[in-house]
Every structure is written in C-alpha cells, then in structure tokens.
Amino acid sequence: MSEASPLRTSPIHDRHVALKAKMADFGGWEMPIEYPGGGVVAEHAAVRERVGLFDVSHLGKVLVRGDGADELVNTTLTNDLTRIGPGQAQYTMCCNDAGGVIDDLIVYLRGVGDLFLMPNAANAATVVDKLRAEAPEGVEVEDHHEDFVVLAVQGPLSDEVLGALDLPVDHDYMSYDTARWHDHELTVCRTGYTGERGYELIAPAAAGLELWDALVEAMAPYEGLPCGLGARDTLRTEMGYPLHGNDLTPEITPVMARAAWAVGWDKERFWGKDALVAQRVAKSSRLLRGAKVTGRGIPRPGCAVRDREGNEVGVVTSGTFSPTLKQGIALILVDRVITWDDEIVIDVRGRDVPATVTKPPFVDVQVKS
C-alpha cells in the first residue's frame, strides 16, 4: 500500500505556524482555516468592516504562451476571451463533454500569446494536462504551481493598506496592474472571492514572507486581521459565489449553476458546448438558488431540500452560518418548479428546518467604485 503524498505548503507556511493557525488540507496543500483570537467570525467581520489578509497560494498558476495561445484558451474554456484585452482578467470554466465543470478559473490576459491562468488547487494539474493535450505546436502550457505566492487583501480599507506600500490601487474590477516592490515584480489584481473591494497580489515565492509581513504591518492601524480559508468560505457563501466541488462539479454545469453569463455561446467551439447548448434549450435541469433559514439550524452540503408538501426537490450544495445575518444560509440545487420566495424545508440531521428561497447575495455589500 503506497503512502499518501505529503501536503504542499505555502511560502507563508512558517507565519501561519507561528500564529498558531488551525491548518487543514485544501487541494493537497496545508493551509490555514482560522487563527486564534476570534476565529472565523472575527476574521469575517474584519473583511466586511475593515480589511483582512488571506494566503491563497494553494491556487494554481499556469502560463500559456506562444503563437496561438489565445486561440487555444478561447476554443477550450467557456468564456469568450475576445471580450477582454491586455491588463484584464476573466472568469471562465473548463468543462467536460457532458458540460459539467472540471474547474472554474481566472484568466489574466497579459498580451497576445501570453496568458496567466489561476485554477483551483486540486484541479490545476488536470487543467494543465487537458490544455497540453490540445495545444498546437509552438504553444507552451507551463505549470508554475509552487513558483508564486498569492495574497488577497480584501475589505473596504484595502486601498489604504496597499497605498501604504506604494502599490497600485483603484484600477477597474477584473483588471490588474504591475509594480516593482523590493526588487520583486508584483501583479496587483482587482479581484477576490469575498464580495468586498479588494486585491489579489501575485509575486515570486521568494518574496512571500517579506510581502506578508509588510501587509500585516500596514493593516495594523486599521485593525486588519490575517484570515483563514474558513472566513473566505463564509464570505463567498454570503455573496452566493459558487465553490468548485460543491456548487460546480463534473455533474453540475454552468447552466445549472446559473453561470451562463460566463459562457461564450456564440463561439464556434469550446469543451462541452454541444451538451450545454442542448441543456440550455431543454430548460429542464435543476438550478442553483439561495436559501435563507427562518428556523433554527445550519444547513450543510448534502442536506435534502423538500417543498411544503414534503416532496424532495433538491439538495444543499453549500451551507453555513452567516456571521453577518446571524442565521443559516445555503446554496441549493433544486427543481425548476422551486423559485424565489418559495417556502421550503431543509433536512438538517433529521430535523425539518424551514427556509425561504432567496436570490443571492444574502448581504448588501457597499463596494466603492
């Protein structure tokens, strides 16, 4: 019997250990869930009210370069790359032949024939292998999973924190800028997974500890906190953002996840197009919706969803306690007869918990333009 592969660690790993973070396996990486001194709830509040710092270096980093690189990405992934130009980023998906989602990722267009992809940690190697198998001669697909650090500064005071380090701020959402910082080249992306104003910084792994320390110091006057992936999950669920493995899977398509906006329907081809077009026309698949618990109970993935007559109509894909609302919330995959404002019941450990179908986001986030 072969031994399991050791978990990879972030360039910031020593800082997490020093802070006594609770660690866990995320896609083969040992990453922080929460830190002492308040945990998920305090970290969540810091991001909503002030600013928080996440290490998300477990995310994949893939370079696709060469004559024809743009066409390779555009004829395989769902979104239409021609909608953006150099200096911009785009959310897209890698689908299988049945239209299910192998992974969702961000594409950064650096220039013609020069793209940087950021898939999820567990799926990065699969995305690389699929793109390499399709790549024409002259196009290189390079896996740089461990070569970069990725730090997310999120919250209404994120501009002030980056400004203290003389890093670029205030560029448009889903765009990025570059900067030199302590002899390192940084990419500062106006992206994030919390719903708040914020940035993701991509830097060489060697710059990781120094950059983390500088950001922690810059956050201190604003009572910012290092934040674990537990808070990242509650923040994204409050916004209704899907998580691959829960709300997007090889069996849950962009159509089912109500993410058809991330599909370039007019493109001649991309992986899974025929199946997705057929599903879109049929209008018979289940759809992803939100649910706000009105009783006592916290829905969790896998909980059955029933209508008021007791008929099983779906399943919870993501569920948590909302620190902002102080109640349970969920993303649910349900039959199309279930729609907004319907009253439903969620089976939480054998107990019927009433809920209302609610259109995400569950919270009102005021992001300054």
Side-chain angles (χ1 to χ4, degrees):
M1 182 175 177
S2 61
E3 294 184 5
S5 300
L7 295 178
R8 291 171 164 176
T9 57
S10 156
I12 316 299
H13 183 76
D14 288 351
R15 295 296 185 268
H16 304 318
V17 173
L19 289 170
K20 295 181 169 53
K22 181 179 180 181
M23 308 293 284
D25 179 356
F26 279 82
W29 290 65
E30 188 178 17
M31 300 298 292
I33 298 176
E34 63 180 9
Y35 299 88
V40 170
V41 173
E43 293 162 22
H44 181 110
V47 174
R48 286 279 182 253
E49 300 167 7
R50 304 180 305 278
V51 64
L53 173 63
F54 298 83
D55 178 11
V56 289
S57 300
H58 62 303
L59 295 174
K61 305 97 179 170
V62 182
L63 283 170
V64 183
R65 296 189 284 196
D67 187 16
D70 305 58
E71 184 178 4
L72 169 65
V73 169
N74 203 35
T75 56
T76 54
L77 306 185
T78 60
N79 215 333
D80 187 351
L81 193 63
T82 66
R83 294 171 177 168
I84 66 170
Q88 293 180 299
Q90 183 181 71
Y91 177 79
T92 189
M93 286 169 274
C94 173
C95 291
N96 57 30
D97 290 343
V101 181
I102 295 171
D103 197 29
D104 63 334
L105 60 155
I106 301 288
V107 175
Y108 298 91
L109 183 57
R110 309 199 312 179
V112 176
D114 187 3
L115 301 99
F116 185 86
L117 280 55
M118 194 176 290
N120 287 290
N123 307 317
T126 301
V127 172
V128 168
D129 289 346
K130 285 183 66 65
L131 288 171
R132 280 178 178 165
E134 192 95 359
E137 185 176 352
V139 174
E140 296 294 327
V141 180
E142 304 170 4
D143 188 348
H144 292 272
H145 206 154
E146 298 186 72
D147 297 337
F148 295 92
V149 63
V150 185
L151 303 179
V153 180
Q154 300 283 297
L157 299 179
S158 55
D159 283 33
E160 285 81 351
V161 172
L162 265 62
L165 273 60
D166 293 322
L167 293 174
V169 295
D170 211 28
H171 37 295
D172 292 338
Y173 182 61
M174 295 301 285
S175 71
Y176 65 89
D177 205 345
T178 57
R180 296 291 300 179
W181 184 81
H182 292 209
D183 295 325
H184 298 289
E185 182 173 310
L186 269 62
T187 302
V188 181
C189 314
R190 178 83 192 281
T191 50
Y193 197 47
T194 66
E196 295 292 340
R197 184 178 182 88
Y199 302 84
E200 291 177 314
L201 281 59
I202 305 170
L209 291 176
E210 187 180 14
L211 182 59
W212 171 272
D213 290 345
L215 289 167
V216 169
E217 183 178 355
M219 284 197 310
Y222 306 105
E223 300 182 16
L225 294 177
C227 300
L229 300 185
R232 191 168 187 257
D233 190 60
T234 56
L235 289 158
R236 70 92 190 171
T237 305
E238 285 188 345
M239 297 305 297
Y241 294 161
L243 174 68
H244 191 273
N246 289 50
D247 320 296
L248 295 166
T249 72
E251 293 74 41
I252 300 177
T253 71
V255 173
M256 297 167 70
R258 298 176 61 250
W261 56 268
V263 178
W265 296 103
D266 294 332
K267 294 197 302 183
E268 183 177 343
R269 65 186 181 96
F270 55 86
W271 291 329
K273 180 180 179 179
D274 291 346
L276 288 173
V277 169
Q279 188 177 63
R280 191 186 192 201
V281 171
K283 295 182 179 180
S284 59
S285 65
R286 284 180 166 178
L287 294 176
L288 194 69
R289 300 194 186 278
K292 188 182 294 185
V293 168
T294 54
R296 294 184 62 185
I298 309 301
R300 299 298 183 188
C303 290
V305 177
R306 301 188 180 94
D307 62 19
R308 286 185 294 181
E309 285 70 44
N311 303 304
E312 189 164 326
V313 292
V315 65
V316 173
T317 54
S318 287
T320 191
F321 172 79
S322 164
T324 303
L325 300 176
K326 305 294 190 292
Q327 65 187 116
I329 57 173
L331 297 179
I332 56 175
L333 189 67
V334 290
D335 296 342
R336 289 185 178 232
V337 294
I338 303 299
T339 190
W340 311 122
D341 299 323
D342 282 357
E343 300 297 322
I344 56 171
V345 171
I346 299 176
D347 183 343
V348 179
R349 297 182 178 178
R351 186 167 58 87
D352 288 346
V353 176
T356 302
V357 180
T358 306
K359 189 173 184 178
F362 297 101
V363 297
D364 183 17
V365 175
Q366 300 294 329
V367 179
K368 60 182 178 181
S369 60

